[in-house]
Amino acid sequence: MILGLLSDVDRHAQRLPAAIARALAAFQAQGLAGKPPGRYEIEGEQMFCLIQDATPRAVADCLSEAHHRHADIQIPLGATERFGFALPQADLAPCDDQLESRDLAFYPTPANEFFMDVEPGAYVVFLPTELHRPCVLI
């Protein structure tokens, strides 16, 4: 997991994986806050942005998720968003496995999960196989 401020991306670009630095620069250049919900391609299928109206839900109503081929960059646009995070757990089986078709699997509550609040202007990167739970009610 990587956590940072969009205002610091240029200063830290050399320390970030190249694809993540390119994605964050593209997000800044496109002015995401003013775009309607939808999918926006950055580098074709390899890099895209999904803008969603995220409705916060109680933690019990949110499943953890993970991707195996792609990193997931989350940028709250309108309000602070709470995320759960846990390291990969080999003994935790997905309850909904869509990895082949969508590079997405949902999991029951992982062990040693912690929560963080991410404000607009910040970003969090969940690397492949890292468990994360977006849209948690604060």
Side-chain angles (χ1 to χ4, degrees):
M1 180 188 70
I2 301 168
L3 178 65
L5 297 173
L6 288 171
S7 60
D8 291 339
V9 168
D10 290 340
R11 192 171 56 160
H12 296 294
Q14 299 289 31
R15 297 181 193 139
L16 294 169
I20 291 171
R22 287 194 321 272
L24 291 169
F27 296 161
Q28 288 177 305
Q30 290 187 18
L32 298 179
K35 291 189 179 282
R39 179 184 166 120
Y40 298 88
E41 290 193 1
I42 297 169
E43 292 180 8
E45 286 294 314
Q46 292 301 310
M47 189 181 299
F48 57 88
C49 171
L50 292 176
I51 296 181
Q52 301 170 313
D53 286 328
T55 302
R57 300 177 310 268
V59 70
D61 296 330
C62 302
L63 291 172
S64 290
E65 63 183 62
H67 313 277
H68 284 207
R69 294 187 307 267
H70 297 96
D72 188 350
I73 302 172
Q74 298 273 339
I75 303 172
L77 297 176
T80 300
E81 187 173 342
R82 179 164 288 166
F83 294 90
F85 173 78
L87 292 172
Q89 299 172 17
D91 61 337
L92 187 65
C95 54
D96 183 1
D97 187 340
Q98 302 173 36
L99 289 171
E100 288 299 318
S101 62
R102 297 182 57 209
D103 189 37
L104 174 65
F106 294 98
Y107 295 83
T109 300
N112 302 313
E113 182 179 30
F114 72 89
F115 293 86
M116 62 189 153
D117 295 342
V118 181
E119 297 182 4
Y123 65 89
V124 61
V125 180
F126 299 106
L127 299 172
T129 72
E130 291 181 335
L131 297 163
H132 54 285
R133 189 188 312 229
C135 303
V136 177
L137 188 64
I138 296 176

